[in-house]
Amino acid sequence: MNIKIALAGNPNCGKTTLYNAITGSTEYVGNRPGVTVEEKEAKLKWNKEVIIMDLPGIYSLSPYTSEEVISREYIIEKTPDVILNVVDGSNIERNLYLTTQLIETGIPVVIGLNMMDIVNKSGDVIDISKLEKTLDCPVIPISALKGTGLKEVCEKAVKMAESKKTSNIKIFSNKIENYISQTKELIKDIDFTISKKWFAVKIFENDEEIIKTLNLNNNKKSILDNIISSAEKDFDDDTESIITNERYTFIEKTVASAVKKGSKEKLSFSDKIDKIVTNRIAALPIFAVVMFIVYYISVTSIGSDLTDWANDGVFGDGWHLPFTTEKYNESVENFENAQLKIDTFKSAALENGIDTEAFEEQMEAEEPDISVINEFIEKTKYIKAEPIDNNAFTTAVKEKDFPKINIFVAAAEANEIPADVFKEEIESENPNQEIINSFIADTKDIVSEEVDNFAFVEALEIEEPNPEEFGIWVPGIPVLAESALDSINASEWVKSLVLDGIIGGVGAVLGFVPQILILFFLLAILEDCGYMARIAFILDRIFRKFGLSGKSFIPVIVGTGCGVPGIMASRTIENNNDRRLTIMTTTFIPCGAKLPIIALIAGALFKNAGWVAPSAYFLGIFAIIFSGIVLKRLQAFKGDPAPFVMELPAYHFPAVKGLFIHMWDKGKAFIKKAGTIIFLACAVIWFLQSFNLNLEMVENAEDSMLASLGKIIAPLFKPLGFGNWEASVATVTGLVAKENVVGTFGVLYGVEDVAENGVEYWAMLREAFTPVTAYAFLAFNLLCAPCFAAIGAIRREMASFKWTVFAIIYQTLLAYVAALLINLWGTAIWLNGSFAAPIILTIIIIGFILFIFINSSKKTVPITA
Amino acid sequence: MKTLKDVKSGDNVIVEKISCTGSLKRRIMDMGITKGTNIYVRKLAPLGDPIELTVRGYELSLRKSDAENIIVK
């Protein structure tokens, strides 16, 4: 027979460390998401018949927080055979408060008295046997961190479960016990899974949820009301408070008899740290530094390296083992540079009337004739390829001086300025002057390198690097999948589905996994060592003004790297409303994948003006603050008032094993999501992009269903100024991953191999957009529904379909209104449009906001003392 | 009538009454602030709010607006 042990205790009492130590992380038998927390079950390490159930950390079994509700529902419905109550010995008074409630359930309780090392250090002495006697249940000193006493406490728990021995202590005074007996009479005919007394106390406390489930008839209800009101008269307090007072009175007595306080009043280790960390002057700078370190490690340095590896290596062409791909890439670049020099020099030689044909022949030969090459070197001794700058190039274009043009174009290409479109034009009979001019403008800082005979000889000596010399080349998943599909002769559409649709889409998402793991590792450190609570303490005042919590800052900071971990970082916010609001607003801040969109618009329409990128961040911050202020006024976000009553746990070093488990747990949740929602979404987008309405596969996305869809939804964007179907389609594909917006334009404009900032089609973009509509497009894409990965994360963290839909609709609506305002005002101010429309719209919006404010202040009931 | 909000940091006070109701009261009491409890006001947050207390041997933080409901002497 299986024995079920429920693990219960206050937050920060070391319960999770104990759970990890006695189960072993690989043995999950269940992991189902609750409202804010997950209930976890695992088998005991030493005895597979025993199942350990990890309840959320709670202070009480009252019905006010979701954690408390989950815990008590679990105890009532699943009736564990025994409760293992972890008690923080260094904070025994408050910890025993929960114990008094657990004992009342009538389920055998075993106390694991944790953190005894801290107790000993502080000089306090806890008399275990006295504690056992007053509480009438076994108390076993343990150290979850060091692993001592764990087996013992589990064995004791199993023994207690078998003997079913419950504690028979009297917690309340005679007077109260009398009232509770009267209450008990009312429910004597009802069968309960746990003790009747627990229910009697709860309904005596006027616990509405429990009263509702009991279905008392009217007669009994009025008797209950009578009992409660006479008790309240008796004690001049409400029954809930009477019970709480009595519990603490009992605990005070217990502690007074069993705990001898040490005389030492020295500053503890934790106090010393706290003096610095929450110091009036130093607190904010320290916080900034800590955030910078977290951001730097997880987003910029290690995190971005790992993401590059995952995206370009594992889900790209492949990578080197050991990690020498970077070195290899450097060598390739070096080689390409040398080739450029050789070509430049050859052109110069040609210009000087030296024939290069024989030399070129030898260069391409398997076994080149050294003497021919040497002869060429000798002949070109005094040749020098002069540097060509943009001016010289412009002249060369006018004179159609092709050797010079070619040298300069090659230099431009080496600087990653795409030149295919230009080359095509310049060679055509009637070149499009606009494209030529735009290329000249784009290359204004390019100067081709000076190459003399010496540099030429040097370049000749650089050999093409061989990838195999840089370690073992591990092919990427797409490469492997392609060869696997080829080997089974898969049809084109299957290949496209697997490679472009699934691996391309899901891979883009999974590429973030390493970054997410690092981030969660760092956040776990902050959480475990006790700093997270201080962040809330330090920043609460600022964020409360915007209707957010002090902890909302972390998701936003993390969100500048990637919205997915940002949204997931919101987990540390306990209050449901604050957390929902934070989840909804985190993706307003531009994430890494939105930067290419900013670069595209800034480059194509604003000549790379410096204000565009910062303005995108300000827009995000403004959207967050605006949403905080306005949404908080909505009825949906009111619910129960959110008291900021927070424990500031003592600082301590985190348990390393726990950190890894924590990190993996969250990473796993993300991977699972990528395997389901995101997988499906990518397949759908691929289907729309690859087939036309007759379900025939199309070569070009321009003929696809997605394009037809784009044409249908384009009118929706007309008021925003970018009603062309290309922009609509780009916005839709941005849902897979925001950087797709740039690539999609490329596909739709028929440009292959688009650079990250889409420079190839800037000229075409300038025809489709005005600066105003381009900025509206940018604003819309930054603020609207995030990518599928982030939507998946929202769905997971909200744990509610309704809230997810609300979040997405809200974000898209806000984006729409913002883009509309930008378009109308921009057109009015800079493009001589009418002022009537923007003014009317602004008045409507202000009116709407005022309506929300007035409406909400009416409903607020002032708290009367 | 003195509330916890008015107590200077570094002072010790004793709780007389909790004047709010509902979940806020319950939460405050669950955390160990009951009638007769000794509270030591440790400090203010760098921006002046919330406050940090020592109650029953541990550290607790409260917003001033919530502390206003705790009547002390």
Side-chain angles (χ1 to χ4, degrees):
Chain A
M1 199 200 82
N2 277 341
I3 288 176
K4 263 191 290 181
I5 302 180
L7 213 53
N10 285 184
N12 312 307
C13 69
K15 194 169 56 68
T16 308
T17 316
L18 175 76
Y19 175 80
N20 290 334
I22 63 176
T23 57
S25 62
T26 51
E27 303 190 27
Y28 285 107
V29 290
N31 184 357
R32 81 194 137 89
V35 184
T36 54
V37 275
E38 283 140 61
E39 292 174 12
K40 278 195 272 174
E41 267 184 6
K43 287 175 185 160
L44 183 62
K45 202 151 74 175
W46 305 288
N47 184 349
K48 304 285 172 210
E49 309 261 280
V50 179
I51 289 173
I52 310 283
M53 168 78 202
D54 192 19
L55 297 182
I58 46 171
Y59 295 108
S60 163
L61 286 178
S62 58
Y64 295 120
T65 72
S66 48
E67 285 90 344
E68 288 166 351
V69 172
I70 288 174
S71 296
R72 69 185 210 180
E73 272 171 5
Y74 177 81
I75 291 173
I76 297 169
E77 281 165 21
K78 301 274 180 71
T79 54
D81 299 297
V82 59
I83 297 171
L84 173 47
N85 178 204
V86 184
V87 167
D88 175 357
S90 66
N91 186 357
I92 196 163
E93 270 193 58
R94 201 206 55 224
N95 272 254
L96 285 181
Y97 179 69
L98 177 67
T99 310
T100 61
Q101 300 185 39
L102 293 173
I103 283 175
E104 238 160 46
T105 60
I107 294 168
V109 173
V110 175
I111 292 174
L113 196 58
N114 198 13
M115 312 219 184
M116 287 304 285
D117 43 339
I118 299 173
V119 177
N120 294 337
K121 234 189 220 161
S122 70
D124 293 358
V125 180
I126 300 178
D127 186 336
I128 305 283
S129 61
K130 236 181 208 162
L131 203 58
E132 276 186 330
K133 218 182 251 167
T134 13
L135 296 172
D136 192 23
C137 65
V139 177
I140 294 168
I142 59 169
S143 169
L145 204 58
K146 290 179 187 141
T148 52
L150 304 187
K151 207 169 173 181
E152 214 184 328
V153 82
C154 292
E155 278 165 3
K156 193 79 194 176
V158 171
K159 233 181 250 166
M160 289 293 285
E162 281 161 352
S163 71
K164 298 199 168 55
K165 196 198 153 298
T166 57
S167 166
N168 274 317
I169 47 164
K170 191 174 140 284
I171 294 169
F172 307 114
S173 63
N174 289 334
K175 237 188 196 168
I176 292 292
E177 288 286 354
N178 193 18
Y179 281 119
I180 293 171
S181 310
Q182 286 176 36
T183 315
K184 218 163 145 188
E185 274 297 299
L186 296 175
I187 51 171
K188 66 170 187 229
D189 302 330
I190 307 176
D191 277 331
F192 292 110
T193 48
I194 61 169
S195 100
K196 216 161 265 185
K197 174 145 185 202
W198 188 82
F199 280 93
V201 174
K202 282 291 153 203
I203 62 173
F204 179 67
E205 280 183 309
N206 222 341
D207 186 322
E208 275 168 29
E209 263 179 57
I210 298 285
I211 294 175
K212 227 188 287 163
T213 60
L214 293 182
N215 275 328
L216 296 177
N217 61 32
N218 283 344
N219 180 33
K220 282 182 175 169
K221 256 188 201 155
S222 69
I223 298 176
L224 176 64
D225 286 343
N226 277 336
I227 297 172
I228 291 173
S229 59
S230 65
E232 288 185 342
K233 223 184 259 164
D234 222 354
F235 285 82
D236 187 29
D237 212 343
D238 58 283
T239 47
E240 210 177 1
S241 309
I242 300 169
I243 293 286
T244 309
N245 271 328
E246 294 254 330
R247 283 189 206 281
Y248 269 112
T249 313
F250 169 79
I251 293 164
E252 276 165 26
K253 264 188 265 164
T254 309
V255 171
S257 75
V259 183
K260 250 196 222 114
K261 283 265 166 214
S263 51
K264 283 185 254 175
E265 271 294 312
K266 227 173 54 184
L267 276 183
S268 69
F269 169 68
S270 177
D271 291 336
K272 279 182 208 154
I273 294 180
D274 197 59
K275 271 232 138 88
I276 304 165
V277 167
T278 60
N279 178 286
R280 280 215 124 166
I281 299 154
L284 290 171
I286 289 176
F287 168 72
V289 169
V290 169
M291 275 301 112
F292 176 75
I293 292 171
V294 169
Y295 179 79
Y296 184 75
I297 295 178
S298 64
V299 177
T300 321
S301 63
I302 301 176
S304 82
D305 283 350
L306 279 176
T307 306
D308 286 348
W309 166 72
N311 278 332
D312 304 336
V314 180
F315 290 102
D317 294 339
W319 80 96
H320 279 103
L321 228 149
F323 296 92
T324 47
T325 307
E326 205 171 312
K327 257 191 209 153
Y328 170 69
N329 287 344
E330 253 169 49
S331 309
V332 169
E333 204 172 299
N334 220 348
F335 173 72
E336 281 169 357
N337 254 333
Q339 291 301 306
L340 176 63
K341 276 184 195 161
I342 293 171
D343 287 343
T344 309
F345 191 76
K346 274 191 311 199
S347 300
L350 263 179
E351 232 174 321
N352 282 284
I354 298 170
D355 185 37
T356 58
E357 211 169 300
F359 165 75
E360 265 164 45
E361 219 167 78
Q362 289 309 314
M363 284 299 286
E364 269 156 40
E366 292 258 332
E367 279 170 42
D369 187 342
I370 304 292
S371 63
V372 177
I373 291 175
N374 281 339
E375 192 188 334
F376 182 76
I377 293 172
E378 192 56 40
K379 257 199 280 185
T380 56
K381 213 169 187 172
Y382 301 106
I383 300 289
K384 193 156 125 195
E386 295 293 338
I388 304 166
D389 62 6
N390 191 264
N391 279 337
F393 172 64
T394 315
T395 326
V397 168
K398 269 186 208 134
E399 291 166 0
K400 294 236 166 188
D401 182 351
F402 276 102
K404 262 199 187 136
I405 292 174
N406 288 341
I407 292 172
F408 186 82
V409 166
E413 281 183 318
N415 278 292
E416 283 169 15
I417 295 176
D420 290 344
V421 181
F422 169 79
K423 275 195 265 182
E424 218 170 275
E425 285 305 321
I426 196 87
E427 276 160 25
S428 72
E429 284 194 10
N430 240 332
N432 179 337
Q433 209 50 46
E434 204 160 309
I435 289 176
I436 305 281
N437 289 341
S438 124
F439 185 76
I440 290 175
D442 290 341
T443 55
K444 80 178 181 301
D445 298 325
I446 301 291
V447 181
S448 79
E449 219 176 320
E450 177 189 288
V451 187
D452 58 10
N453 183 271
F454 184 69
F456 169 66
V457 174
E458 236 178 20
L460 278 180
E461 274 160 15
I462 293 174
E463 278 174 41
E464 187 169 4
N466 178 357
E468 274 162 30
E469 278 169 25
F470 291 81
I472 304 163
W473 175 255
V474 185
I477 289 176
V479 180
L480 290 177
E482 187 168 8
S483 60
L485 290 171
D486 279 340
S487 71
I488 57 165
N489 283 324
S491 64
E492 269 313 302
W493 75 266
V494 172
K495 268 176 74 177
S496 167
L497 169 64
V498 174
L499 296 175
D500 304 335
I502 294 168
I503 296 180
V506 176
V509 174
L510 286 183
F512 289 114
V513 167
Q515 202 175 14
I516 287 173
L517 290 181
I518 293 181
L519 179 83
F520 278 124
F521 188 77
L522 297 173
L523 290 182
I525 293 177
L526 293 186
E527 180 90 54
D528 277 18
C529 76
Y531 188 63
M532 204 66 99
R534 268 75 186 187
I535 293 180
F537 179 69
I538 294 168
L539 293 182
D540 182 65
R541 178 144 202 192
I542 304 176
F543 276 80
R544 197 175 14 155
K545 284 219 162 70
F546 313 138
L548 293 163
S549 139
K551 288 184 181 174
S552 305
F553 192 73
I554 299 154
V556 173
I557 279 288
V558 173
T560 55
C562 173
V564 172
I567 290 163
M568 291 169 96
S570 67
R571 274 191 189 195
T572 51
I573 302 168
E574 292 93 1
N575 180 272
N576 263 335
N577 286 335
D578 290 355
R579 203 185 52 252
R580 288 200 184 112
L581 201 57
T582 308
I583 294 170
M584 286 176 66
T585 53
T586 298
T587 53
F588 285 148
I589 207 84
C591 68
K594 286 174 185 166
L595 294 183
I597 311 179
I598 300 174
L600 169 70
I601 299 298
L605 274 303
F606 295 98
K607 303 195 173 83
N608 277 322
W611 59 267
V612 178
S615 75
Y617 285 90
F618 281 119
L619 188 68
I621 293 167
F622 178 76
I624 292 173
I625 294 175
F626 173 82
S627 305
I629 293 172
V630 172
L631 285 180
K632 261 283 153 99
R633 300 269 163 175
L634 293 180
Q635 204 54 32
F637 279 95
K638 287 221 161 141
D640 52 296
F644 183 82
V645 183
M646 187 184 64
E647 181 186 2
L648 295 171
Y651 295 89
H652 61 80
F653 284 106
V656 177
K657 190 184 170 196
L659 295 179
F660 278 102
I661 291 172
H662 192 102
M663 171 184 96
W664 178 235
D665 260 11
K666 295 194 169 162
K668 203 175 57 183
F670 177 69
I671 295 167
K672 264 192 202 154
K673 203 90 250 169
T676 51
I677 282 193
I678 298 163
F679 180 92
L680 259 177
C682 293
V684 169
I685 293 277
W686 167 83
F687 177 73
L688 293 175
Q689 200 171 5
S690 312
F691 288 85
N692 62 19
L693 285 169
N694 301 325
L695 298 186
E696 292 156 345
M697 205 157 169
V698 292
E699 276 285 305
N700 200 326
E702 208 170 324
D703 312 316
S704 70
M705 255 188 269
L706 191 62
S708 320
L709 194 74
K711 282 163 195 156
I712 295 171
I713 59 170
L716 274 179
F717 295 118
K718 197 112 214 156
L720 310 188
F722 51 92
N724 53 42
W725 67 273
E726 289 95 341
S728 316
V729 172
T731 304
V732 171
T733 55
L735 292 175
V736 176
K738 287 287 165 181
E739 67 266 34
N740 277 1
V741 170
V742 177
T744 303
F745 270 123
V747 172
L748 299 181
Y749 285 140
V751 183
E752 274 171 42
D753 273 341
V754 182
E756 202 171 63
N757 60 2
V759 67
E760 295 83 352
Y761 56 81
W762 282 5
M764 301 177 211
L765 221 51
R766 271 175 223 145
E767 281 171 35
F769 287 95
T770 66
V772 169
T773 58
Y775 198 83
F777 174 79
L778 177 64
F780 185 81
N781 271 283
L782 294 183
L783 299 177
C784 75
C787 64
F788 285 132
I791 293 175
I794 292 177
R795 168 75 182 83
R796 187 176 166 77
E797 296 308 312
M798 290 283 194
S800 146
F801 182 71
K802 213 178 72 192
W803 274 104
T804 312
V805 171
F806 177 68
I808 292 165
I809 290 177
Y810 173 75
Q811 290 163 342
T812 311
L813 202 67
L814 181 87
Y816 195 88
V817 174
L820 186 61
L821 279 176
I822 290 168
N823 183 37
L824 292 181
W825 278 110
T827 310
I829 295 170
W830 287 289
L831 302 172
N832 299 323
S834 112
F835 271 94
I839 289 173
I840 291 170
L841 180 71
T842 310
I843 290 172
I844 291 174
I845 291 169
I846 292 174
F848 183 69
I849 294 168
L850 281 179
F851 171 76
I852 290 178
F853 269 67
I854 293 166
N855 212 26
S856 87
S857 55
K858 256 194 239 154
K859 277 175 191 154
T860 315
V861 184
I863 299 165
T864 43
Chain B
M1 203 173 64
K2 192 172 159 194
T3 72
L4 189 61
K5 188 189 164 197
D6 314 315
V7 180
K8 277 197 300 248
S9 63
D11 281 1
N12 266 302
V13 287
I14 290 180
V15 177
E16 221 166 41
K17 197 180 168 191
I18 293 155
S19 60
C20 53
T21 54
S23 69
L24 177 59
K25 179 171 189 183
R26 177 68 190 241
R27 181 104 168 114
I28 289 173
M29 292 188 73
D30 276 348
M31 299 306 282
I33 300 179
T34 56
K35 198 177 160 183
T37 312
N38 190 329
I39 295 181
Y40 170 69
V41 179
R42 271 169 76 99
K43 63 164 167 290
L44 291 175
L47 298 169
D49 194 21
I51 50 179
E52 183 176 344
L53 319 166
T54 303
V55 190
R56 299 185 188 272
Y58 79 98
E59 271 74 60
L60 183 70
S61 74
L62 270 184
R63 278 183 189 156
K64 278 183 170 169
S65 58
D66 294 335
E68 210 170 5
N69 295 306
I70 300 169
I71 298 162
V72 295
K73 64 177 170 194

